[in-house]
Amino acid sequence: MSTTIDDHGGRVQAALLGALAGEAAAGTAAGAADLLGVAESVAATGGFDEADMRNRGLEKPSRGGTAGLLLRAVPFGLIAPLDRAALRRSAHRCVVLAGADEGTAVSAVAVAMLTADLLRFDLDTSLLRVHQSLLEDAPLALLDSLRPDPGSLTRSPEDAEPAHALQAAITALEAGELDAAVDAARGGPAVSVALAGALAGARDGSASLWRLDAASLPHGERAMQIAHRFAARLDVAPAAQRLTSPADGHR
């Protein structure tokens, strides 16, 4: 099994910008700011640092509601994808710091693990690995959500439970590349749209960057700066900045 991540820097960029693209498509706060805040802290400290998180206001609830806390787990899957114990511990502590209950915290752990696995495996394999990892720890409702279900994209988008939001994002990933996944997620909870963008970005990496115009996305330039600092922490080269025109992706 490979001990390196192909296109790691590009996957970080695409995950951050994908979350912003998803939130823009949702048209409301959907957890993208949470992801950027945690990613900025991780880029600065190398992992979970409670004092730094508090200094950035990340002990506060998410504007995306309880489900919005799931986006805070994504950076831990990106920074330590090969260290299951560390990413589980960090994701759990991060959302508990913001007042998450245990069900939400375990859902966040699932998001961190899914992010990490999508860096190396296809969706079906990643879901199987996460399910097996959580088999003894997660409630049945969460385990059941670790599979696509078209019904999750037709339920009310209001006040989604974290497990429902996660399942809707997973379902949207089956639609295809990043833009298709974001579009598919729009029928479900707002958080799912941002989460689908982040997970699709982690999965697709640099291949999806031509679809994302950082300059036109709210906080896009900040996301690019964070992604470059994150990549430096990983000691990998950031992806080429092919972000302004779809034509760039076909050169």
Side-chain angles (χ1 to χ4, degrees):
M1 184 179 295
S2 174
T3 57
T4 61
I5 304 297
D6 179 56
D7 187 31
H8 203 163
R11 294 175 191 277
V12 171
Q13 279 188 22
L16 270 57
L17 291 174
L20 293 178
E23 185 167 271
T28 187
D34 300 64
L35 191 159
L36 291 187
V38 173
E40 194 166 37
S41 177
V42 170
T45 66
F48 175 81
D49 185 303
E50 181 172 340
D52 190 78
M53 293 275 181
R54 288 186 181 277
N55 287 338
R56 298 176 190 275
L58 291 167
E59 82 285 3
K60 298 175 183 177
S62 170
R63 289 181 60 209
T66 301
L69 293 174
L70 298 183
L71 274 292
R72 300 189 187 191
V74 169
F76 299 111
L78 296 172
I79 194 71
L82 304 178
D83 191 339
R84 207 69 154 180
L87 70 86
R88 289 184 66 154
R89 182 171 58 251
S90 296
H92 190 280
R93 293 172 67 189
C94 177
V95 297
V96 168
L97 178 66
D101 59 31
E102 185 59 21
T104 301
V106 177
S107 296
V109 168
V111 168
M113 289 194 292
L114 182 58
T115 301
D117 285 351
L118 286 171
L119 300 180
R120 295 189 292 156
F121 305 106
D122 62 30
L123 178 61
D124 288 343
T125 302
S126 298
L127 290 173
L128 179 61
R129 285 170 55 86
V130 175
H131 188 281
Q132 290 175 333
S133 294
L134 291 176
L135 198 55
E136 296 182 1
D137 303 320
L140 288 177
L142 175 57
L143 292 174
D144 190 55
S145 75
L146 296 174
R147 60 178 179 81
D149 175 14
S152 65
L153 296 175
T154 60
R155 301 170 191 158
S156 170
E158 300 297 327
D159 300 322
E161 291 293 324
H164 170 206
L166 174 55
Q167 186 167 41
I170 287 169
T171 304
L173 291 178
E174 287 202 315
E177 297 176 339
L178 193 151
D179 53 347
V182 166
D183 190 59
R186 289 170 120 178
V191 168
S192 301
V193 193
L195 184 56
L199 293 174
R203 177 193 65 190
D204 300 342
S206 293
S208 64
L209 287 176
W210 70 273
R211 303 170 183 277
L212 300 164
D213 181 4
S216 70
L217 289 171
H219 310 295
E221 296 297 338
R222 178 188 171 208
M224 287 294 295
Q225 293 169 5
I226 295 170
H228 277 259
R229 292 197 295 271
F230 208 104
R233 177 67 66 173
L234 295 169
D235 194 28
V236 299
Q241 296 186 37
R242 297 179 287 110
L243 302 174
T244 58
S245 169
D248 291 344
H250 300 288
R251 291 177 181 172

